[in-house]
Amino acid sequence: MSLVAHSLSFRYEKTDPFCLENIGLELHPGQCLALLGANGSGKTTLSKLLIGILQPEKGHVSVDGQNLAGLSLAGIGEKIGYLFQNPSRQLFCSSAGEEIGFPLQFCGLDPGEIAERTEHLLHFFGLDHLRDQFPFTLSQGERQRLALAAIMVLDPPYFILDEPTTGLDPRRREELFYYLQKLIKNGRGIILISHDHCFARRLASGILELKEGRLQEVDPGC
Amino acid sequence: MLKELDPRSKFVLSGILATLAVFFNHPLHLGPLLILALFLLPLFSCNPLQVARRMRHLLVILGGLVIIQAFFYPGTTPLITWGQHYLITVEGLLQGSSLVLRLFIILCCGLILASSPPARFVQGLVRWYLPYELAYMVSLGIRFLPLLREEAGDVFTALQLRGVDLRRMPWRQQFKVYRGLFLPLITMAILRSRQIALAMEARAFRAYPRRTFFHSLQLGRGDYLTIIISLFSGILLIFLHLRGLI
Ligand SMILES: Nc1ncnc2c1ncn2[C@@H]1O[C@H](COP(=O)(O)OP(=O)(O)OP(=O)(O)O)[C@@H](O)[C@H]1O
Ligand SMILES: [Mg+2]
């Protein structure tokens, strides 16, 4: 049971040099890995490979023993929750409440339960008063929280979060910290991409850094 | 490479092609014109096969168009009859294929124009005394479309990643999903375009009545040659056609 990348290599154009080369990593349930790196080092690219939006040129990704290439995006989404770096890109409903409840409508849940789960997450992420607002007009931090809530609702075993703390005020960041910590305790695996080194080091048990297309382990001391 | 031509020469060339496409009305004329256009495309580093692959859905629709035209165009020479009724007539078939050939030629013109980066495109238009606000809007519109497509693509990826498998859904439910997405996507697009307009004004767009350009355009020998050849052959073809020689 784990999310594993087997020596991935990737480039955007066939004529370019590889922007990621021979990347291997392994994420177990109940573990949090932090992925650091400078702007443009390929963190988002790697996350897209791990979630199946991009396909590696060499190597493959497997989740719980299944090759990602054999799964549909919907199948992958049930196993891995993905927070886009730009949360606006993953919101598409006409109200915040609908946004959270959206996938549940297709799971055959009854409306009462959908409403209950939606309310719970709205409340947890402090979005109660915004439940009817159009997601695009929310503030940056609110949108970030909504996108987080929207991927939490399916409760997948793994999460890949591309800079979840950008735009959050200090209090929200602390709340997110405790929430993620609880998820990890409950056996979820998280890959956390962040420029917030302190946040990452506090939460993660392993720190990885992308540098010149390669992944290296970093000493977790602050 | 013709790709490096001034956008104005491309205007003339594609303008002539499009005019001819509208002017002629028989597959025997439109066919060779399309072949010519297809031969021109690689010179503008645009691979027609690749384009065809990307637009295969459109091709299917166009095929349908020929058939519909063939059925409904009132013709007098029957090809297939059903009892007393003419099902498909020669005229209908000709009309249908002309229509599709014409659309293809115009598509090629679009591809030729699109081989210039939008910034050069704007400059070309402004050099011909089009107000630059207008020229810029045209080019922004052209650039905005792929952006919208990319955004819609992201939304569909996000949608599926949230466990919604469109392919395995009954079509009625699929329709419901699409219908639900329609309004938010349009609203997003409108809000986004307003943002762009604001951002442009904030960065001094339209602050002065005239503007200068970072790269400046110059008509070269190749440009004059292209313009002269396309104008000459365009006029010649129209003249010959009017005299009934072709
Ligand atoms: N669609 C694309 N086509 C071509 N190149 C791309 C594309 N997306 C990203 N790149 C390039 O790949 C490299 C890595 O980009 P990526 O977005 O993965 O960086 P990142 O580590 O997430 O940076 P940031 O910290 O700014 O989010 C960059 O040099 C970028 O220019
Ligand atoms: Mg990134």
Side-chain angles (χ1 to χ4, degrees):
Chain A
M1 297 291 273
S2 53
L3 175 64
V4 191
H6 303 269
S7 43
L8 304 176
S9 296
F10 179 83
R11 52 188 160 184
Y12 280 99
E13 297 292 337
K14 280 268 180 286
T15 48
D16 290 353
F18 283 106
C19 82
L20 292 174
E21 210 168 355
N22 209 5
I23 305 280
L25 69 82
E26 195 165 343
L27 176 74
H28 296 285
Q31 187 189 16
C32 175
L33 289 177
L35 185 57
L36 312 178
N39 287 146
S41 56
K43 304 182 296 297
T44 300
T45 308
L46 177 56
S47 70
K48 285 184 177 169
L49 287 169
L50 290 174
I51 193 78
I53 296 178
L54 297 172
Q55 274 73 40
E57 195 168 317
K58 291 185 205 144
H60 69 276
V61 180
S62 66
V63 54
D64 293 344
Q66 270 179 301
N67 191 338
L68 223 56
L71 291 170
S72 68
L73 276 180
I76 297 169
E78 280 166 19
K79 294 201 174 282
I80 311 171
Y82 181 55
L83 179 76
F84 283 55
Q85 179 163 13
N86 178 356
S88 314
R89 291 283 181 100
Q90 71 183 126
L91 301 174
F92 47 76
C93 293
S94 34
S95 75
E98 205 184 312
E99 196 68 59
I100 297 175
F102 178 82
L104 299 179
Q105 304 166 41
F106 306 99
C107 301
L109 289 180
D110 66 89
E113 177 152 13
I114 295 180
E116 193 183 314
R117 281 214 222 171
T118 307
E119 280 312 305
H120 173 73
L121 281 165
L122 276 173
H123 182 70
F124 181 83
F125 284 95
L127 298 164
D128 304 83
H129 58 297
L130 300 169
R131 89 168 44 84
D132 295 321
Q133 196 161 330
F134 185 49
F136 207 81
T137 58
L138 294 175
S139 85
Q140 167 98 24
E142 288 162 350
R143 224 177 301 154
Q144 182 82 18
R145 272 146 49 204
L146 177 60
L148 274 166
I151 61 167
M152 297 297 173
V153 74
L154 278 178
D155 197 21
Y158 303 99
F159 289 96
I160 299 175
L161 308 176
D162 199 347
E163 305 197 19
T165 55
T166 36
L168 297 193
D169 60 48
R171 199 190 100 213
R172 307 278 186 211
R173 193 160 48 204
E174 270 324 275
E175 283 174 10
L176 180 68
F177 178 81
Y178 290 115
Y179 186 69
L180 295 180
Q181 209 170 37
K182 206 170 81 193
L183 283 179
I184 298 165
K185 277 212 188 87
N186 289 339
R188 306 287 179 270
I190 299 181
I191 291 179
L192 173 75
I193 297 172
S194 186
H195 290 297
D196 188 343
H197 287 212
C198 254
F199 186 93
R201 284 173 202 274
R202 273 168 66 203
L203 195 68
S205 52
I207 313 273
L208 303 168
E209 189 173 4
L210 267 178
K211 213 173 193 177
E212 286 154 12
R214 296 184 179 272
L215 202 57
Q216 48 203 175
E217 213 152 328
V218 181
D219 178 26
C222 202
Chain B
M1 225 30 175
L2 294 183
K3 186 178 168 25
E4 301 306 324
L5 282 181
D6 190 288
R8 282 167 286 180
S9 332
K10 294 183 189 173
F11 263 126
V12 174
L13 176 62
S14 48
I16 295 280
L17 268 178
T19 310
L20 288 174
V22 177
F23 186 73
F24 289 135
N25 200 17
H26 196 283
L28 276 181
H29 296 134
L30 290 168
L33 200 61
L34 178 60
I35 292 173
L36 173 71
L38 287 177
F39 269 106
L40 283 174
L41 278 185
L43 297 178
F44 293 92
S45 32
C46 170
N47 182 350
L49 287 179
Q50 246 172 29
V51 176
R53 207 173 314 136
R54 254 187 295 157
M55 299 202 169
R56 56 185 179 277
H57 299 297
L58 188 70
L59 297 185
V60 173
I61 294 174
L62 289 180
L65 218 57
V66 177
I67 295 172
I68 290 174
Q69 275 280 334
F71 267 108
F72 290 107
Y73 193 78
T76 48
T77 329
L79 210 60
I80 302 175
T81 52
W82 187 55
Q84 293 283 303
H85 302 281
Y86 295 170
L87 259 192
I88 293 181
T89 62
V90 175
E91 288 85 355
L93 210 56
L94 288 179
Q95 191 67 22
S97 9
S98 301
L99 186 73
V100 169
L101 288 172
R102 188 173 295 141
L103 283 177
F104 275 128
I105 295 169
I106 291 173
L107 193 73
C108 290
C109 297
L111 289 172
I112 290 175
L113 285 180
S115 65
S116 291
R120 288 173 62 96
F121 198 77
V122 174
Q123 205 183 349
L125 287 171
V126 172
R127 281 289 174 87
W128 275 350
Y129 303 105
L130 198 74
Y132 81 77
E133 289 93 336
L134 212 65
Y136 205 86
M137 288 307 142
V138 172
S139 83
L140 203 63
I142 294 172
R143 214 195 296 205
F144 202 61
L145 277 179
L147 203 84
L148 271 187
R149 228 187 61 180
E150 192 187 316
E151 211 146 281
D154 269 359
V155 162
F156 277 102
T157 311
L159 182 89
Q160 291 176 62
L161 279 177
R162 284 210 224 147
V164 179
D165 199 341
L166 285 169
R167 274 171 308 171
R168 266 195 287 158
M169 242 179 217
W171 65 268
R172 205 191 273 258
Q173 209 167 23
Q174 260 187 46
F175 179 73
K176 229 177 77 182
V177 173
Y178 285 122
R179 197 188 52 193
L181 290 183
F182 187 69
L183 213 70
L185 277 180
I186 296 289
T187 319
M188 245 195 272
I190 293 173
L191 288 173
R192 176 63 49 90
S193 61
R194 257 193 234 158
Q195 258 175 17
I196 291 180
L198 259 179
M200 277 165 53
E201 294 212 6
R203 285 160 68 181
F205 185 72
R206 283 202 328 186
Y208 302 97
R210 281 194 62 77
R211 65 171 288 182
T212 49
F213 287 95
F214 196 57
H215 303 284
S216 83
L217 279 181
Q218 210 69 53
L219 285 179
R221 199 185 301 164
D223 293 300
Y224 286 117
L225 212 64
T226 312
I227 292 178
I228 290 170
I229 292 179
S230 30
L231 274 177
F232 177 76
S233 39
I235 292 170
L236 185 71
L237 283 173
I238 290 179
F239 178 75
L240 288 179
H241 187 68
L242 287 178
R243 299 298 296 275
L245 291 173
I246 55 167

